[in-house]
Each structure stands twice: as C-alpha cells, then as structure tokens.
Amino acid sequence: MFDWLQLLLLPSENPSVTQSIVAIMLAIAIGVFFGRLKMGKITFGVSAVMFAGLVLGHFGYRIQAGILDFIRDFGLILFVYGIGLQVGPSFFSSFRNEGLKFNILAVSTVLLGGVITVVLFYLTGLKIEDLVGIMSGSVTNTPGLGAAKNTIEEIKNSFPEKTFDDPTIGYAITYPLGVFGIIATIIVTKLLLKIDPDEEMRKFRKSKINRELPLENKKMRVTNEEYFGKTLHQVLKDFGRDIVISRLKHSRSTVVKSPTLDIELQNRDVLMLVGLEKDVDDFIALLGRPSSDLFIESESQLRKKNIFVTNPSVIHKKLSELDLYNTYDLKVTRVFRAGREILPRPSLELFYGDKLRVIGSEEGIGEVVKIIGNSEKKLLEPDFLSLFGGLLLGVILGSIPIVIPSLPVPIKLGFAAGPLIVALLISRYGGISFIHSYINTGAIHFMKDFGICLFFAAVGIHAGDGFYANFVQYNGWLWLLYGCAITFIPLILMVIVGRFILKINFLQLVGIMSGSYTDPAALSFSTNYLDSDIPIQTYAQVYPLVTIFRIFIASLLILILS
C-alpha cells in the first residue's frame, strides 16, 4: 500500500528527478536540525548539512548527475553573491582605516596555506586535487572547493582522457578539523595571553576616537561676539570640518528655521548641529556654549521625516542636482546606507534603498516624497529583475577565459569569484543600470543560507558515496595530519604577527582569524565566548578579499600542478 512512499524516501542507485529532490531536501532538513544543537558554546549551523549529506550518501542516497551539477553550482552562486552584497559597503570603506593592514595579514595567511599545500604535494606524493580538497576543508573554505571542482571540469573538457580524484573527499575529512582548530586556537590564545575581553573592549573604544564614529546631534547657543553678523557659509568655511546646521532659532523668537548658508548669526542664536561628536563639540566651543533650549526641537513649524530612495529617476543623482532646499525649503541632515550614517554633502550620490532624514515644512516633505519615492513596500518586495541581472553578470564575468602562458587551459574566475566580484562592485557603486545593490537584510540572509545549503547537500551526498572506503583507502588519519599543518601553522603565525608586531586588538584579531578561514561557526563561537560583536566587523572587512584569493589559489594549484 505504501510502496510508493518507500520508493520515494528510500535510497536508490538510479534516482528519478523526484528522488533526487527528496535526497536534497532530506540532507538540508536533517543538517539544519542537527546544526542547531549546541556543543557547549559551539553550533555547526548550516555546515552540518554537508555532514548529513555524507551520511545519506554513505547509506546509498544519490542525485542525478545533471541535477547534482546544477544544485551545486547554483547554490554556490547564490551564496557568494549574497556575501558580496552584505559586506561590500564595509569592505571598501574599511580601507580608509585599518582595513588595509587587516587584509594584508589575512591574505598573507592565505598565501602561507597555499605554500604549505605545495610543500606537502612534493613531500607526500598525493595528487594536487586531493591536497586542494584537504586545504579547502582545513580552512573551511567552500568557494575554494567550488572553484577547484570548476577548474577540474574545465580541464576535463579540454583533456577528456585525464582522470582526477574528487577534492570533496579531502574537504569532507578535514572540514571538522578546520572548524574546531580555529575555535581551539581562540581558546588557547586567550588563556596563554591572559586576555581580558573587557580591557580589550576599553582599548578598542579608545582607539576608535575620531574614526568611524556615529553622527551626533547637539544644541548650542551663539555667544562669541567674533561671529555675530557672519554668515553660516563664512563660519563653516573657517571651521573647515563637516557640520550640518539643521535648525536655527533667534533669541526671543518662537520661529524655528532650517537655515540657508547666507543667514547671518546673531547674539544668543540657538543652533541644532549634526556631525561627528568631536567636530560638534569643537564647533560649540568655538562659537559659544551648549544650550538646553527645548523649543528648537519643537515640531510645530518644522517636521522631521525619514524618506527612502525608491524612485528610479533619482537614483545616482547627487544631492546638489536635486537642490531640495532651494526648491522645497527642505534640508537633508543624514543619509543612512547599509547600516552606516553619512553626512549629506552636496556631492553625495543617492543609491536605491538609501534612507534620507529630512527637516522641513509638511508641504515640502510631501512634495519631496513624490520625487524620492519612499515606498517601503517596494523595498520589502524582492526585485527579481535586479537580482537575476546581477547574478547573470556574475556568471558572465566568471566564465571569461583568461589566457596565461604555460597553463594548459585558460583560467576563469568561476562561479565562486565572478558573482562575488560583481556583487562587491554593485554594492560599492550602487548599481549598474536597472541592477541595484539594495536587498533587504532578511532576503540576503535567506539567499546566503539557502545557497550554501544547496551546495553542501549536493557535495555531501556525492562525497558520501564510498566516503568510508575512501577514508580507509586514502588513510584519512594521515590526511588529518596534513590538514593540521595547513590549519595551525598559519594561525599561530597570524597570532604572533598580529598581536606582537602589528599590535592588533585581540577582539579584532579573532575576527581576522575567523574571516581568513571564512568560518562562520568560529565567528559565532567567538562573539559568544568573548561577549562582543567586534569580531564581526573585522570578519566582514577581510572576508571578500580572502575569498577571492582562496578561489584563485585553489584554481591555480590545480592548473599548475595537476
């Protein structure tokens, strides 16, 4: 009676399309369930999907070859594109501060891992595809594995007679080592160096003075006679730093204005300022003193509103082109973009999804809403034309053959690096034509997790076919030893150089360690273990460049040494 159900759910050597889909869903469901279980402070998250796939593959579950290739590649594309959109804004802005130092340290760690892999290749006699799998697993780098598999397929297309081992076997054997190795290093390093997280946090906050601080708004009263009768344009030009004066009220007056640059300051004027805290405090000290005037905050004459940029006609226009103040008597005081607050300079270009904080009359705000768009419903709905247009560009970029003399086949960025680079550029420049960088946070998290679940399910089930036999055949314990060299040698050197030579705060260094090994499980552990979100910031700063380098190294090692 239930033969159809057994046929659907039980393993099959020659699965139908439906049976292949069921195998994928089983791997994802079982993996997500066990990934949520805690081992102390450690959870595997979605990476447990790969282990579930290994078990199912070991017990006979299979996926049709064509479906397997599609699910694996499409999942990887979604994952890296989502990562690029998420971390792109902070990635580029970080280079103005400590990002360059952090990325040099992280990339050096990646290169050292590649050098150790080459040394093992000449010492052990293992095939390079096996060692690239061991390397990718030892540093928990899924895009590197995807790039290696894509490169192997390219070589097979040009040289059909050539045979390769599956790098997924080495990846699956050493992946747990990569996860637990980073976590163990964090714990041991904290104990040996006698790190106090609270003290590190105090040092971090002290080092952040005047750098990447949030914008502040404060009130002041003009009392310095030297500035009576001077225009705001003259005062701001003399001050020389970015300050926005959002409101002005003359003494003994109830009228609150959004002032123009040609207005002259008078004795005891009250101003509302927006800017970095130190700049605002210095401006107040120069012109007068802080004010406790409450009337200037009144909404009786001026309204404050947040407006979202959703109208295509204003995207990529500068604030100076819109000229909102002269046209609608409305002043933009802040711009919120990808979690950052930006002072609204006239040269600032608007991106889709930007949030403008404006002050002005109710009528003026109503007119500007019609121009800017302000459709929050539109932001909640996924823009599939933009999303799949970006994915298409990423696939095209990843498929461009780059001819390098002496290599047997042209190198390609592949489905791992191509979409990642396109997403980074789109997030940096706000978009290309109808393709924009804005996707709401929930959609990005869904795209990333869904993509990586598809990839893990496909590679896990495929690698599970004969996994135990391969572990015994290839002496898996020896492979774990090789993985230890790739995992721990670069990590230990990173801690020594980062902590004692570059003097990097330990909370930031932990983020660099997790980011260099592209390990979200270690990042999740470190934020709980150290009770701080600081590691997340440095993780995001190094992740994109590290991912690109790991992709290139995996592909180049296959091309040069296979």
Side-chain angles (χ1 to χ4, degrees), residues 513-539:
M513 292 164 66
S514 302
S516 299
Y517 281 51
T518 60
D519 188 354
L523 178 67
S524 177
F525 166 80
S526 64
T527 54
N528 291 326
Y529 182 61
L530 300 171
D531 192 25
S532 172
D533 289 333
I534 302 303
I536 297 175
Q537 299 175 20
T538 47
Y539 179 93

PDB file of all heavy atoms in Angstrom, residues 513-539:
ATOM      1  N   MET A 513      41.007  36.125  12.252  1.00  0.00           N
ATOM      2  CA  MET A 513      41.249  34.679  12.218  1.00  0.00           C
ATOM      3  C   MET A 513      40.055  33.950  11.595  1.00  0.00           C
ATOM      4  O   MET A 513      40.216  33.113  10.705  1.00  0.00           O
ATOM      5  CB  MET A 513      41.517  34.157  13.633  1.00  0.00           C
ATOM      6  CG  MET A 513      42.823  34.641  14.230  1.00  0.00           C
ATOM      7  SD  MET A 513      42.911  34.421  16.046  1.00  0.00           S
ATOM      8  CE  MET A 513      42.894  32.633  16.170  1.00  0.00           C
ATOM      9  N   SER A 514      38.849  34.284  12.059  1.00  0.00           N
ATOM     10  CA  SER A 514      37.645  33.633  11.520  1.00  0.00           C
ATOM     11  C   SER A 514      37.431  34.003  10.060  1.00  0.00           C
ATOM     12  O   SER A 514      37.050  33.155   9.246  1.00  0.00           O
ATOM     13  CB  SER A 514      36.416  34.035  12.350  1.00  0.00           C
ATOM     14  OG  SER A 514      36.581  33.701  13.708  1.00  0.00           O
ATOM     15  N   GLY A 515      37.676  35.274   9.715  1.00  0.00           N
ATOM     16  CA  GLY A 515      37.498  35.716   8.338  1.00  0.00           C
ATOM     17  C   GLY A 515      38.514  35.116   7.392  1.00  0.00           C
ATOM     18  O   GLY A 515      38.201  34.767   6.246  1.00  0.00           O
ATOM     19  N   SER A 516      39.757  34.978   7.839  1.00  0.00           N
ATOM     20  CA  SER A 516      40.810  34.393   6.992  1.00  0.00           C
ATOM     21  C   SER A 516      40.503  32.944   6.655  1.00  0.00           C
ATOM     22  O   SER A 516      40.905  32.445   5.611  1.00  0.00           O
ATOM     23  CB  SER A 516      42.166  34.466   7.702  1.00  0.00           C
ATOM     24  OG  SER A 516      42.523  35.800   7.954  1.00  0.00           O
ATOM     25  N   TYR A 517      39.796  32.271   7.575  1.00  0.00           N
ATOM     26  CA  TYR A 517      39.417  30.878   7.345  1.00  0.00           C
ATOM     27  C   TYR A 517      37.944  30.771   6.930  1.00  0.00           C
ATOM     28  O   TYR A 517      37.381  29.679   6.906  1.00  0.00           O
ATOM     29  CB  TYR A 517      39.679  30.057   8.608  1.00  0.00           C
ATOM     30  CG  TYR A 517      41.145  29.706   8.767  1.00  0.00           C
ATOM     31  CD1 TYR A 517      42.132  30.692   8.693  1.00  0.00           C
ATOM     32  CD2 TYR A 517      41.566  28.405   8.985  1.00  0.00           C
ATOM     33  CE1 TYR A 517      43.472  30.391   8.827  1.00  0.00           C
ATOM     34  CE2 TYR A 517      42.907  28.096   9.125  1.00  0.00           C
ATOM     35  CZ  TYR A 517      43.855  29.095   9.050  1.00  0.00           C
ATOM     36  OH  TYR A 517      45.192  28.791   9.176  1.00  0.00           O
ATOM     37  N   THR A 518      37.337  31.926   6.610  1.00  0.00           N
ATOM     38  CA  THR A 518      35.936  32.015   6.142  1.00  0.00           C
ATOM     39  C   THR A 518      35.039  31.075   6.939  1.00  0.00           C
ATOM     40  O   THR A 518      34.253  30.319   6.372  1.00  0.00           O
ATOM     41  CB  THR A 518      35.830  31.712   4.630  1.00  0.00           C
ATOM     42  OG1 THR A 518      36.317  30.386   4.377  1.00  0.00           O
ATOM     43  CG2 THR A 518      36.631  32.708   3.821  1.00  0.00           C
ATOM     44  N   ASP A 519      35.148  31.143   8.263  1.00  0.00           N
ATOM     45  CA  ASP A 519      34.491  30.175   9.141  1.00  0.00           C
ATOM     46  C   ASP A 519      33.407  30.849   9.984  1.00  0.00           C
ATOM     47  O   ASP A 519      33.687  31.417  11.037  1.00  0.00           O
ATOM     48  CB  ASP A 519      35.536  29.527  10.055  1.00  0.00           C
ATOM     49  CG  ASP A 519      34.952  28.379  10.863  1.00  0.00           C
ATOM     50  OD1 ASP A 519      33.721  28.173  10.789  1.00  0.00           O
ATOM     51  OD2 ASP A 519      35.715  27.690  11.563  1.00  0.00           O
ATOM     52  N   PRO A 520      32.138  30.799   9.546  1.00  0.00           N
ATOM     53  CA  PRO A 520      31.070  31.418  10.336  1.00  0.00           C
ATOM     54  C   PRO A 520      30.849  30.735  11.688  1.00  0.00           C
ATOM     55  O   PRO A 520      30.408  31.373  12.637  1.00  0.00           O
ATOM     56  CB  PRO A 520      29.834  31.281   9.434  1.00  0.00           C
ATOM     57  CG  PRO A 520      30.175  30.191   8.469  1.00  0.00           C
ATOM     58  CD  PRO A 520      31.650  30.220   8.291  1.00  0.00           C
ATOM     59  N   ALA A 521      31.143  29.425  11.770  1.00  0.00           N
ATOM     60  CA  ALA A 521      30.976  28.727  13.052  1.00  0.00           C
ATOM     61  C   ALA A 521      31.940  29.286  14.096  1.00  0.00           C
ATOM     62  O   ALA A 521      31.565  29.518  15.252  1.00  0.00           O
ATOM     63  CB  ALA A 521      31.215  27.223  12.860  1.00  0.00           C
ATOM     64  N   ALA A 522      33.196  29.519  13.700  1.00  0.00           N
ATOM     65  CA  ALA A 522      34.181  30.096  14.626  1.00  0.00           C
ATOM     66  C   ALA A 522      33.801  31.528  14.988  1.00  0.00           C
ATOM     67  O   ALA A 522      33.996  31.962  16.133  1.00  0.00           O
ATOM     68  CB  ALA A 522      35.576  30.066  14.000  1.00  0.00           C
ATOM     69  N   LEU A 523      33.252  32.267  14.026  1.00  0.00           N
ATOM     70  CA  LEU A 523      32.818  33.647  14.307  1.00  0.00           C
ATOM     71  C   LEU A 523      31.691  33.649  15.326  1.00  0.00           C
ATOM     72  O   LEU A 523      31.703  34.439  16.277  1.00  0.00           O
ATOM     73  CB  LEU A 523      32.365  34.320  13.007  1.00  0.00           C
ATOM     74  CG  LEU A 523      31.831  35.744  13.152  1.00  0.00           C
ATOM     75  CD1 LEU A 523      32.934  36.689  13.571  1.00  0.00           C
ATOM     76  CD2 LEU A 523      31.189  36.211  11.854  1.00  0.00           C
ATOM     77  N   SER A 524      30.712  32.768  15.131  1.00  0.00           N
ATOM     78  CA  SER A 524      29.595  32.679  16.073  1.00  0.00           C
ATOM     79  C   SER A 524      30.092  32.313  17.475  1.00  0.00           C
ATOM     80  O   SER A 524      29.655  32.894  18.470  1.00  0.00           O
ATOM     81  CB  SER A 524      28.591  31.624  15.580  1.00  0.00           C
ATOM     82  OG  SER A 524      27.547  31.467  16.506  1.00  0.00           O
ATOM     83  N   PHE A 525      31.037  31.379  17.541  1.00  0.00           N
ATOM     84  CA  PHE A 525      31.601  30.992  18.837  1.00  0.00           C
ATOM     85  C   PHE A 525      32.322  32.165  19.497  1.00  0.00           C
ATOM     86  O   PHE A 525      32.151  32.426  20.690  1.00  0.00           O
ATOM     87  CB  PHE A 525      32.569  29.828  18.656  1.00  0.00           C
ATOM     88  CG  PHE A 525      33.431  29.578  19.863  1.00  0.00           C
ATOM     89  CD1 PHE A 525      32.932  28.885  20.953  1.00  0.00           C
ATOM     90  CD2 PHE A 525      34.736  30.058  19.922  1.00  0.00           C
ATOM     91  CE1 PHE A 525      33.715  28.668  22.082  1.00  0.00           C
ATOM     92  CE2 PHE A 525      35.527  29.843  21.041  1.00  0.00           C
ATOM     93  CZ  PHE A 525      35.020  29.149  22.122  1.00  0.00           C
ATOM     94  N   SER A 526      33.131  32.883  18.724  1.00  0.00           N
ATOM     95  CA  SER A 526      33.955  33.950  19.302  1.00  0.00           C
ATOM     96  C   SER A 526      33.105  35.093  19.851  1.00  0.00           C
ATOM     97  O   SER A 526      33.432  35.678  20.888  1.00  0.00           O
ATOM     98  CB  SER A 526      34.947  34.483  18.260  1.00  0.00           C
ATOM     99  OG  SER A 526      34.281  35.091  17.177  1.00  0.00           O
ATOM    100  N   THR A 527      31.999  35.428  19.175  1.00  0.00           N
ATOM    101  CA  THR A 527      31.148  36.515  19.669  1.00  0.00           C
ATOM    102  C   THR A 527      30.499  36.132  20.998  1.00  0.00           C
ATOM    103  O   THR A 527      30.325  36.978  21.874  1.00  0.00           O
ATOM    104  CB  THR A 527      30.061  36.878  18.640  1.00  0.00           C
ATOM    105  OG1 THR A 527      29.319  35.704  18.288  1.00  0.00           O
ATOM    106  CG2 THR A 527      30.680  37.470  17.388  1.00  0.00           C
ATOM    107  N   ASN A 528      30.145  34.842  21.148  1.00  0.00           N
ATOM    108  CA  ASN A 528      29.577  34.384  22.431  1.00  0.00           C
ATOM    109  C   ASN A 528      30.662  34.241  23.496  1.00  0.00           C
ATOM    110  O   ASN A 528      30.483  34.641  24.643  1.00  0.00           O
ATOM    111  CB  ASN A 528      28.869  33.037  22.235  1.00  0.00           C
ATOM    112  CG  ASN A 528      27.615  33.155  21.406  1.00  0.00           C
ATOM    113  OD1 ASN A 528      26.921  34.164  21.470  1.00  0.00           O
ATOM    114  ND2 ASN A 528      27.314  32.148  20.605  1.00  0.00           N
ATOM    115  N   TYR A 529      31.799  33.683  23.107  1.00  0.00           N
ATOM    116  CA  TYR A 529      32.883  33.398  24.055  1.00  0.00           C
ATOM    117  C   TYR A 529      33.481  34.684  24.622  1.00  0.00           C
ATOM    118  O   TYR A 529      33.800  34.779  25.812  1.00  0.00           O
ATOM    119  CB  TYR A 529      33.950  32.581  23.337  1.00  0.00           C
ATOM    120  CG  TYR A 529      35.130  32.161  24.184  1.00  0.00           C
ATOM    121  CD1 TYR A 529      34.962  31.351  25.305  1.00  0.00           C
ATOM    122  CD2 TYR A 529      36.420  32.559  23.843  1.00  0.00           C
ATOM    123  CE1 TYR A 529      36.045  30.961  26.071  1.00  0.00           C
ATOM    124  CE2 TYR A 529      37.512  32.166  24.605  1.00  0.00           C
ATOM    125  CZ  TYR A 529      37.320  31.370  25.718  1.00  0.00           C
ATOM    126  OH  TYR A 529      38.399  30.983  26.479  1.00  0.00           O
ATOM    127  N   LEU A 530      33.617  35.704  23.758  1.00  0.00           N
ATOM    128  CA  LEU A 530      34.207  36.974  24.172  1.00  0.00           C
ATOM    129  C   LEU A 530      33.152  38.022  24.520  1.00  0.00           C
ATOM    130  O   LEU A 530      33.500  39.136  24.928  1.00  0.00           O
ATOM    131  CB  LEU A 530      35.123  37.515  23.068  1.00  0.00           C
ATOM    132  CG  LEU A 530      36.296  36.609  22.683  1.00  0.00           C
ATOM    133  CD1 LEU A 530      36.991  37.136  21.439  1.00  0.00           C
ATOM    134  CD2 LEU A 530      37.282  36.481  23.830  1.00  0.00           C
ATOM    135  N   ASP A 531      31.867  37.663  24.309  1.00  0.00           N
ATOM    136  CA  ASP A 531      30.753  38.573  24.610  1.00  0.00           C
ATOM    137  C   ASP A 531      30.953  39.926  23.932  1.00  0.00           C
ATOM    138  O   ASP A 531      30.879  40.987  24.556  1.00  0.00           O
ATOM    139  CB  ASP A 531      30.606  38.751  26.126  1.00  0.00           C
ATOM    140  CG  ASP A 531      29.287  39.442  26.486  1.00  0.00           C
ATOM    141  OD1 ASP A 531      28.351  39.352  25.686  1.00  0.00           O
ATOM    142  OD2 ASP A 531      29.216  40.064  27.551  1.00  0.00           O
ATOM    143  N   SER A 532      31.223  39.867  22.616  1.00  0.00           N
ATOM    144  CA  SER A 532      31.491  41.101  21.863  1.00  0.00           C
ATOM    145  C   SER A 532      31.114  40.898  20.400  1.00  0.00           C
ATOM    146  O   SER A 532      31.260  39.805  19.851  1.00  0.00           O
ATOM    147  CB  SER A 532      32.975  41.473  21.968  1.00  0.00           C
ATOM    148  OG  SER A 532      33.281  42.542  21.105  1.00  0.00           O
ATOM    149  N   ASP A 533      30.622  41.978  19.754  1.00  0.00           N
ATOM    150  CA  ASP A 533      30.330  41.952  18.324  1.00  0.00           C
ATOM    151  C   ASP A 533      31.483  42.495  17.477  1.00  0.00           C
ATOM    152  O   ASP A 533      31.377  42.557  16.251  1.00  0.00           O
ATOM    153  CB  ASP A 533      29.073  42.780  18.026  1.00  0.00           C
ATOM    154  CG  ASP A 533      27.810  42.115  18.543  1.00  0.00           C
ATOM    155  OD1 ASP A 533      27.809  40.869  18.654  1.00  0.00           O
ATOM    156  OD2 ASP A 533      26.830  42.823  18.848  1.00  0.00           O
ATOM    157  N   ILE A 534      32.573  42.896  18.125  1.00  0.00           N
ATOM    158  CA  ILE A 534      33.713  43.457  17.391  1.00  0.00           C
ATOM    159  C   ILE A 534      34.278  42.472  16.366  1.00  0.00           C
ATOM    160  O   ILE A 534      34.623  42.879  15.239  1.00  0.00           O
ATOM    161  CB  ILE A 534      34.828  43.913  18.364  1.00  0.00           C
ATOM    162  CG1 ILE A 534      34.281  44.955  19.357  1.00  0.00           C
ATOM    163  CG2 ILE A 534      36.012  44.481  17.599  1.00  0.00           C
ATOM    164  CD1 ILE A 534      33.677  46.164  18.713  1.00  0.00           C
ATOM    165  N   PRO A 535      34.393  41.150  16.679  1.00  0.00           N
ATOM    166  CA  PRO A 535      34.927  40.229  15.662  1.00  0.00           C
ATOM    167  C   PRO A 535      34.135  40.231  14.357  1.00  0.00           C
ATOM    168  O   PRO A 535      34.703  40.005  13.286  1.00  0.00           O
ATOM    169  CB  PRO A 535      34.837  38.861  16.361  1.00  0.00           C
ATOM    170  CG  PRO A 535      34.934  39.163  17.815  1.00  0.00           C
ATOM    171  CD  PRO A 535      34.193  40.471  17.979  1.00  0.00           C
ATOM    172  N   ILE A 536      32.827  40.503  14.435  1.00  0.00           N
ATOM    173  CA  ILE A 536      32.002  40.512  13.221  1.00  0.00           C
ATOM    174  C   ILE A 536      32.476  41.593  12.259  1.00  0.00           C
ATOM    175  O   ILE A 536      32.504  41.399  11.033  1.00  0.00           O
ATOM    176  CB  ILE A 536      30.516  40.714  13.582  1.00  0.00           C
ATOM    177  CG1 ILE A 536      30.011  39.541  14.431  1.00  0.00           C
ATOM    178  CG2 ILE A 536      29.664  40.870  12.331  1.00  0.00           C
ATOM    179  CD1 ILE A 536      28.589  39.707  14.937  1.00  0.00           C
ATOM    180  N   GLN A 537      32.865  42.757  12.795  1.00  0.00           N
ATOM    181  CA  GLN A 537      33.287  43.872  11.942  1.00  0.00           C
ATOM    182  C   GLN A 537      34.549  43.526  11.148  1.00  0.00           C
ATOM    183  O   GLN A 537      34.608  43.764   9.938  1.00  0.00           O
ATOM    184  CB  GLN A 537      33.521  45.109  12.810  1.00  0.00           C
ATOM    185  CG  GLN A 537      32.292  45.580  13.572  1.00  0.00           C
ATOM    186  CD  GLN A 537      32.597  46.737  14.504  1.00  0.00           C
ATOM    187  OE1 GLN A 537      33.600  47.442  14.349  1.00  0.00           O
ATOM    188  NE2 GLN A 537      31.746  46.951  15.502  1.00  0.00           N
ATOM    189  N   THR A 538      35.555  42.968  11.827  1.00  0.00           N
ATOM    190  CA  THR A 538      36.799  42.650  11.113  1.00  0.00           C
ATOM    191  C   THR A 538      36.624  41.424  10.225  1.00  0.00           C
ATOM    192  O   THR A 538      37.287  41.309   9.190  1.00  0.00           O
ATOM    193  CB  THR A 538      37.950  42.425  12.106  1.00  0.00           C
ATOM    194  OG1 THR A 538      37.520  41.552  13.164  1.00  0.00           O
ATOM    195  CG2 THR A 538      38.398  43.736  12.727  1.00  0.00           C
ATOM    196  N   TYR A 539      35.743  40.512  10.609  1.00  0.00           N
ATOM    197  CA  TYR A 539      35.415  39.364   9.749  1.00  0.00           C
ATOM    198  C   TYR A 539      34.905  39.870   8.397  1.00  0.00           C
ATOM    199  O   TYR A 539      35.343  39.407   7.337  1.00  0.00           O
ATOM    200  CB  TYR A 539      34.359  38.505  10.443  1.00  0.00           C
ATOM    201  CG  TYR A 539      33.888  37.292   9.662  1.00  0.00           C
ATOM    202  CD1 TYR A 539      34.487  36.054   9.854  1.00  0.00           C
ATOM    203  CD2 TYR A 539      32.831  37.376   8.763  1.00  0.00           C
ATOM    204  CE1 TYR A 539      34.040  34.933   9.163  1.00  0.00           C
ATOM    205  CE2 TYR A 539      32.382  36.279   8.063  1.00  0.00           C
ATOM    206  CZ  TYR A 539      32.989  35.047   8.265  1.00  0.00           C
ATOM    207  OH  TYR A 539      32.547  33.941   7.565  1.00  0.00           O
TER     208      TYR A 539
END
